[in-house]
Amino acid sequence: MAAEGHAIDALGQFQLHTVGSFIGASVNFTQANLMMVLSAGVVLALLHYGARPRAVIPGRLQALAELSYNFIHDMCTDQVGEEGKRFFPLVFALFFFILVGNLIGVWPYAFTFTSHIATTFALALLVMVLTTVVALRLHGWKFFSYFVPSGVPKLLLPLLVPIEILSYLSRLVSLSVRLFANMMAGHVMLEVFGAFIVMLGAAGALFWGPAALCLATDVALIGFEFLVAVLQAYVFAVLTCIYLHDAVHLH
Amino acid sequence: MSGGEDGGGSFEDRLQAARRRQGLDTRPSEQSGGPDSRSPSALGIGLRVGVELVSALAVAVAIGWWLDKWLHTSPVLLSLFVLLGGAAGVLNVWRLMGPDASHRAGRRN
């Protein structure tokens, strides 16, 4: 699959294909959609089965559910302030959807839906539209003073206001590209080194040493992938909180 | 302890304590949330700065190119927006790494 015809096809893994026989094909239900449904299901199951015992001394699953609840709750109140409690459901859903999606993607034969720019851009667009709407609802027309830096000579404003607007719009790209690029790069590296193992292993006993080296690299990369999966979900959630803080407090 | 004259004072005190309990006026959490969430690795910093720099430029190029196509002013607006986008990228990085980025949570100026 990876090393067909002595050419490494590292990007073929990101190709979408429909699943679920003819029903899936008729509605374009791809493996990415399947993984999204799966990760949403995992999050819901964790909360449902974690909250069900309602024990005073929580079991392992309940402790996991409570810890994750507290983690996001603290993130919201720390980054946004008291108003952040309102946005708790959004941040919680975003963080755990992305986190579980990233982690499922490391599983063999699974697919990482966050490695598609379309997915991450849609998530970033949701965050951007929401923060803008929140800012407009809370502050009305005063929201546009966000683009006018204070303590600047009037003469420079025609230059600075477009820069501020561009900086604001660039959040959309940076938020989506960061997650997408990290997830895609990791999986491409895994695939490339995996192909190296196969090609070197097939080249003869002389190359088994380098092949073993590539295997060791892949093992290390898998660990690195887990780190990146958690870190990028966290970064996405924290940046969402920071943007919400900007929207709530403006300056 | 809540005598006749101290009634107002103690009410103020209790109000103050209640407000502090609800986290309404003092905000010590913001300082505690600041540094520990912002101590990433060097690689993380490099990646973030790179993404911030490039993303502003990408947005600016896209806007400039699209405006040029719309208004038939072929290279003028694109070249203008490339400059603006570069400046916006530097502004992003300044906001991320500048001297007052430490007391952050998106604080500006």
Side-chain angles (χ1 to χ4, degrees):
Chain A
M1 171 173 63
E4 267 169 27
H6 296 285
I8 301 172
D9 178 23
L11 295 175
Q13 58 174 325
F14 300 116
Q15 217 148 42
L16 294 175
H17 52 81
T18 54
V19 291
S21 69
F22 69 95
I23 303 171
S26 59
V27 292
N28 256 334
F29 189 78
T30 62
Q31 83 268 44
N33 300 112
L34 182 68
M35 289 298 156
M36 287 178 205
V37 172
L38 187 65
S39 80
V42 166
V43 176
L44 286 178
L46 167 70
L47 290 180
H48 179 72
Y49 292 107
R52 205 165 53 168
R54 290 164 205 251
V56 181
I57 300 164
R60 268 173 292 188
L61 201 61
Q62 195 186 342
L64 181 63
E66 284 176 2
L67 278 175
S68 49
Y69 183 98
N70 270 340
F71 175 62
I72 301 294
H73 186 269
D74 290 350
M75 188 197 285
C76 284
T77 49
D78 283 357
Q79 301 285 344
V80 189
E82 279 303 299
E83 303 90 336
K85 284 175 186 169
R86 276 192 195 173
F87 306 108
F88 169 79
L90 173 84
V91 179
F92 188 92
L94 272 178
F95 177 74
F96 279 97
F97 183 61
I98 295 171
L99 176 70
V100 174
N102 288 351
L103 287 178
I104 285 179
V106 191
W107 197 263
Y109 297 103
F111 181 80
T112 327
F113 61 80
T114 42
S115 66
H116 274 202
I117 186 78
T119 312
T120 58
F121 193 81
L123 290 173
L125 194 64
L126 170 79
V127 170
M128 284 302 292
V129 169
L130 181 102
T131 50
T132 310
V133 167
V134 163
L136 278 173
R137 270 200 63 180
L138 286 180
H139 303 284
W141 292 106
K142 258 188 70 192
F143 163 67
F144 293 100
S145 74
Y146 186 77
F147 299 119
V148 183
S150 57
V152 169
K154 288 267 186 293
L155 206 63
L156 280 175
L157 283 183
L159 183 63
L160 288 178
V161 169
I163 291 176
E164 289 278 345
I165 292 174
L166 279 175
S167 166
Y168 187 75
L169 289 177
S170 75
R171 288 171 173 188
L172 185 60
V173 175
S174 68
L175 196 59
S176 56
V177 165
R178 188 177 299 116
L179 178 59
F180 145 76
N182 272 290
M183 297 318 294
M184 200 193 76
H187 284 261
V188 167
M189 295 256 283
L190 279 179
E191 182 95 30
V192 166
F193 278 99
F196 281 169
I197 300 170
V198 177
M199 289 164 109
L200 286 168
L206 193 63
F207 296 99
W208 286 1
L213 220 66
C214 287
L215 183 62
T217 311
D218 243 1
V219 172
L221 276 177
I222 283 280
F224 191 66
E225 269 303 277
F226 277 110
L227 174 74
V228 167
V230 177
L231 195 68
Q232 287 308 314
Y234 176 72
V235 165
F236 198 97
V238 164
L239 284 176
T240 302
C241 285
I242 287 174
Y243 296 161
L244 282 170
H245 174 275
D246 275 8
V248 171
H249 299 283
L250 274 194
H251 282 280
Chain B
M1 47 185 179
S2 63
E5 282 153 284
D6 292 341
S10 92
F11 174 72
E12 286 295 310
D13 287 349
R14 277 186 294 144
L15 183 64
Q16 201 68 32
R19 283 179 70 89
R20 215 174 8 256
R21 250 201 324 280
Q22 297 297 318
L24 279 173
D25 39 14
T26 53
R27 210 175 288 167
S29 48
E30 214 171 73
Q31 277 104 36
S32 73
D36 72 338
S37 63
R38 294 189 38 77
S39 50
S41 64
L43 181 70
I45 293 173
L47 279 175
R48 255 195 98 178
V49 168
V51 168
E52 294 285 351
L53 262 180
V54 172
S55 65
L57 196 60
V59 168
V61 165
I63 292 175
W65 185 79
W66 179 78
L67 278 179
D68 266 346
K69 226 177 75 165
W70 184 44
L71 299 170
H72 299 287
T73 52
S74 195
V76 181
L77 288 174
L78 180 60
S79 46
L80 182 70
F81 268 89
V82 165
L83 294 177
L84 288 177
V90 174
L91 178 67
N92 281 348
V93 173
W94 177 258
R95 217 162 261 162
L96 193 67
M97 294 286 145
D100 63 20
S102 51
H103 67 96
R104 167 176 170 88
R107 181 86 42 91
R108 297 149 57 93
N109 295 323

